């Protein structure tokens, strides 16, 4: 290990002193080693439970605190200041890889993925042509084919996109193009398209309705059962109604693990309806797709292979750094037909290599960030392997299985799922917590904290009105305390409740215990202050 | 400096041995230091003109060569293999920061931007809420306001998007929403929208027409003059025609530096037409926006402040690593009105902080990559400053100006522009090259190499047919040689020609000399082989 104290100070150096400056290599190496050291310190500190998840300040206050380094100065800063800027930035950031960060579907920090991103930034290329991204193009082909096989298709196509919402937009574009290719040139005016999705699906389907020109009101919300799963009878009723009005049902979106309750729609039943009515079936498994890697839990996505297209975000359950989302379809060739413009300055027909490898014309982007390398690198490192006792190959066939543990993506996903069951068990035993669903399907566990003052109140509007204020009050106090982070929201008629989600294999049962203790501690303090009742009813 | 030889080997280590493993910090530090060292070696080697720009192999061949490490194995690889994977990947990649890479609008490697990306990957957050991206949200506000002031607006709004094509899509969404907000819910069927853009504008406008449901054929291509600039009289004629047919002209896209010829449309004249007819004016300055930072050249964008929206990609002329694109609009509040869905699980109304800082509802994404940090970090380091002789502050007012050089974004942009003028001068003097435009406006310099066998042929179809094959043949040979990279394409009736573009401040006049010599060397060899005439006419 290098002695950090002997590393160069950069008070007299500017970005122009780095490469390609004459003799700039030494400075460049020192600069990036100092940065790396700082970033690894951050990674390590993030794993320390004594470290806060965040150091919260209101926007105007944070602006004041960072006023010495936040603006764009009239004279460029030194390299020492650049490193200092990095340090300040990390100080006031949110540690999304902290084992007590349960706030978002993306959590944890996969270090192989981080390594992949560092390389990606350094080689800085663009995914549109094989010409300038040869290796990455091959990696995208391999990983997409691997994902396709996990879905259970015998073949297909796909593309990495900047996120699940854009992936879902692709699905709408494919669905309408498959129905009528003339839509590409003539526009959606040709038909009165209707999209169906469950009431509890992600808002990206409505967004795709708006962006694609179909219109948000032409995205029909299908009713869900008490567990948040789409009611297939309702779906079919809506389809028949739409048809009767002369409209064109163009796509059904089913969800694999909804955003809030973690529900899986009944894919086989929905596929039957789609087949019967000739409608494109898209499965948004942005969140739940990772379960396909677990032999124990892939049954949750039973029937997903019947979909025409699938969204799957490795930056969620698979722990990739954001952004990493895939749109996959079983219709080979359709992405290109649907999205190609054939720009001659980029996709020249007289190139010397096999033009099928110029993937850019399958996308709705021109420049496209390389999101594949980190995923490929991690997947290679995270297929099943043995850790624990090392063993050599002997001539006789004995293998030590003693003290050996399987590890890979499958175990990682099983582990985060098991942790959610631990939380579920704890909540079932607790008198001061109530579950929204007794048997959630995904890692999502939704629950209310019921303060003492509400404990004996009978259920009804008055209680709900107060309960609605509990989670926001606790969350505000939690942000100030910075000890743990969890989100909350209302859902239909249900007052605000907490939503636990976790994709972070660093989180342990002790972190779950801490979460509940902290909600109690903060919740009681707010209760004593009378925070839940002292305000005007705002619900 | 650490002695690399003493660093750990990872042949027995797996990703599970890194943090958060017990005692994993040491391994993590060693792993990332080895990676950093490898990446800095890459940066340095890339600047060495002895290094090839690429080591080209056809897709099937590259697959074979990398077959030992390209697939997803059944057992996870060691950390040593992870590092080896990184090395192999870089070996067969394209060095887009090489001073002889002139192939794409994005070139060069800004090391501060790279440092920013490394941090971005490590802190791995999501731009949708202030809650989990407090510092980055403030940085986005500051940088967007800075860009707005460079455009010359007194205020406005903006958002970083995954690329120029998506930014241009935002512009279409804003334009149609401004015309009629009901489009969001009811769809584009309400009106027969028409978009206007020059024939030589980027294909993203057609793409936005397709994606937005307006339809590609409702994107009218307006004629250009010989320099590639939109002819305003033609624009107005098309608008009047569309109106006469009962159609709704909803947006005019003007371009600041077209993709191939680098033309700047006449913004003031176009703005006059747009004002007269009440049409949204968008300026796609994805490529040319950087000129706004140069006092010498910002006149090229005269009138841009009259636009309603502007696309500006710092990942092009400003050298940021891909992806970094901004969509800016002078209409404060419109982005949110146009794109918000108001998901209650994310944009809770009862949060404790100022909700204006939750920028996610302004976007058409949900998760959004942090593209701001690197841009903010670089901009702070690249405003004007002095390099060369250091000076101290004395009590008496004397400043050494001797041997001092200004450096910053302005100088960087002036420098890459000056280099293109050097190339232009060289081409004007050369008998074996012909310019497509004698006076290009941007850094783009388009030209033909005319082989000996064509030198005395009279201009006409026969000559053009052969000339059309010259650039592809030379390019194919150039890829094999790997010594330099430049793109080519046809344009309207013009046969294939080379397009020089460069945003890389590392490139020098010697690299330009090399480029021309190499085209000559390869071009002559192909000529001797008879490559230009021995094939069937394919044009």
């Amino acid at each position: 290990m290098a002695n950090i104290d002997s590393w160069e100070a950069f008070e007299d150096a500017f970005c122009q002193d780095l490469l390609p400056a004459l003799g700039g290599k030494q400075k460049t190496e020192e600069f990036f080693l100092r940065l790396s050291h700082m970033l690894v310190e951050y990674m390590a500190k993030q794993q320390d439970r004594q470290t806060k998840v965040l150091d919260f300040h209101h926007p105007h206050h944070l602006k004041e605190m960072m006023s010495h380094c936040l603006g764009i100065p009239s004279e460029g800063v030194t390299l020492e200041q650049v490193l200092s800027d990095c340090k300040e930035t990390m100080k006031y950031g949110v540690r999304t890889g902290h084992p007590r960060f349960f706030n978002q579907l993306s959590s944890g920090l996969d270090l192989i993925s981080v390594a992949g991103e560092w390389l990606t930034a350094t080689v800085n290329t663009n995914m549109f042509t094989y010409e300038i991204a040869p290796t990455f193009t091959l990696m995208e082909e391999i990983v997409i084919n691997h994902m396709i096989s996990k879905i259970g298709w015998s073949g297909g196509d796909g593309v990495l996109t900047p996120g699940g919402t854009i992936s879902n937009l692709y699905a709408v574009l494919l669905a309408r193009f498959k129905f009528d290719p003339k839509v590409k040139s003539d526009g959606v005016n040709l038909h009165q398209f209707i999209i169906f999705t469950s009431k509890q699906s992600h808002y990206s389907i409505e967004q795709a309705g708006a962006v694609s020109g179909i219109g948000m009101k032409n995205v029909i919300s299908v009713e869900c059962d008490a567990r948040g799963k789409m009611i297939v009878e309702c779906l079919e009723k809506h389809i028949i109604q739409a048809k009767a009005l002369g409209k064109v049902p163009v796509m059904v979106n089913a969800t694999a693990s909804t955003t809030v309750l973690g529900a899986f729609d009944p894919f086989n039943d929905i596929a039957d309806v789609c087949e019967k009515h000739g409608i494109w079936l898209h499965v948004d498994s942005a969140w739940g797709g990772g379960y396909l890697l677990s032999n124990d839990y892939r049954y949750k996505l039973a029937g997903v292979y019947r979909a025409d297209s699938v969204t799957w975000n490795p930056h969620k359950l698979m722990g990739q750094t954001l952004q990493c989302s895939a749109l996959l379809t079983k219709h080979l060739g359709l992405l290109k037909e649907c999205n190609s413009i054939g720009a001659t300055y980029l996709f020249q027909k007289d190139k010397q290599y096999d033009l099928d490898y110029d993937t850019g014309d399958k996308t709705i982007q021109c420049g496209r960030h390389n999101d594949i390398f980190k995923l490929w690198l991690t997947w290679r490192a995270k297929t099943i392997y043995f850790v624990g006792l090392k063993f050599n190959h002997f001539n006789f066939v004995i293998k030590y299985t003693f003290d050996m543990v399987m590890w890979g993506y499958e175990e990682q996903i099983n582990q985060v799922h098991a942790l959610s069951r631990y939380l579920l068990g704890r909540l079932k035993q607790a008198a001061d917590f109530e579950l929204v669903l007794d048997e959630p399907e995904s890692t999502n566990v939704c629950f209310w904290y019921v303060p003492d003052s509400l404990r004996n109140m009978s259920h009804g509007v008055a209680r709900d009105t107060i309960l609605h204020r509990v989670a926001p009050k606790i969350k505000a106090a939690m942000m100030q305390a910075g000890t743990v982070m969890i989100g909350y929201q209302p859902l239909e008629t249900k007052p605000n409740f907490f939503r636990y989600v976790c994709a972070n294999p660093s989180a342990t049962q002790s972190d779950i215990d801490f979460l509940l203790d902290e909600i109690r501690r903060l919740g009681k303090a707010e209760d004593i202050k009378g925070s839940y009742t002292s305000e005007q009813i705002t619900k």
Side-chain angles (χ1 to χ4, degrees), chain A residues 142-155 298 312:
Chain A
I142 280 167
V143 171
I144 280 176
N145 283 336
H146 196 64
M147 295 176 96
I148 282 171
S149 73
K150 293 289 174 189
I151 289 169
W153 292 332
S154 57
R298 58 172 287 124
W312 178 353

Side-chain angles (χ1 to χ4, degrees), chain A residues 457-469:
Chain A
M457 203 167 164
S458 56
H459 284 241
V461 174
R463 184 179 185 271
D464 279 359
T465 304
I466 298 170
L467 194 56
H468 189 64
R469 285 191 225 119

Side-chain angles (χ1 to χ4, degrees), chain A residues 42 45-46 51-59 61-70 84-96 479 482 485:
Chain A
Y42 177 91
K45 204 172 165 202
Q46 176 165 263
T51 305
K52 284 187 171 189
V53 181
L54 81 164
D55 178 11
F56 179 78
H57 301 279
H58 283 277
H61 190 204
L62 185 55
K63 270 187 204 175
E64 279 167 33
M65 292 169 70
M66 291 186 74
S67 61
H68 62 290
C69 70
L70 199 54
S84 162
D85 285 352
C86 290
K87 210 164 182 175
E88 291 274 304
T89 300
M90 292 195 284
K91 190 168 158 195
Y92 297 114
V94 174
R95 298 175 190 273
T96 58
M479 295 279 284
M485 272 182 90

Side-chain angles (χ1 to χ4, degrees), chain A residues 68-85:
Chain A
H68 62 290
C69 70
L70 199 54
I72 295 175
S74 57
E75 293 188 16
V77 303
T78 64
L79 290 180
E80 197 61 38
Q81 184 62 41
V82 169
L83 291 169
S84 162
D85 285 352

Side-chain angles (χ1 to χ4, degrees), chain A residues 152-221:
Chain A
W153 292 332
S154 57
D157 203 355
V159 66
L160 265 66
T161 84
T165 299
I166 303 281
S167 290
N168 287 341
L169 174 63
Y170 269 90
V172 171
L173 304 182
L174 287 172
R176 69 185 196 186
F177 180 83
K178 188 74 167 31
F179 180 81
D180 182 359
K182 285 203 303 294
V183 165
K184 184 175 174 181
S185 69
D186 293 15
V188 293
N189 281 13
L190 293 175
H191 308 281
Q192 286 192 281
F193 286 129
I194 302 286
I195 295 166
F196 304 87
T197 190
S198 94
K199 271 191 198 307
Q200 297 193 17
S201 65
H202 190 259
Y203 72 91
S204 50
I205 306 299
E206 273 176 284
Q207 186 91 62
V211 171
S212 67
I214 290 171
M216 276 170 70
K217 82 167 189 196
N218 297 316
V219 179
I220 304 288
S221 290

Side-chain angles (χ1 to χ4, degrees), chain A residues 482-493:
Chain A
T483 45
V484 63
M485 272 182 90
I486 183 171
Y488 73 88
Q489 67 288 299
L491 184 70
E492 296 173 354
T493 61

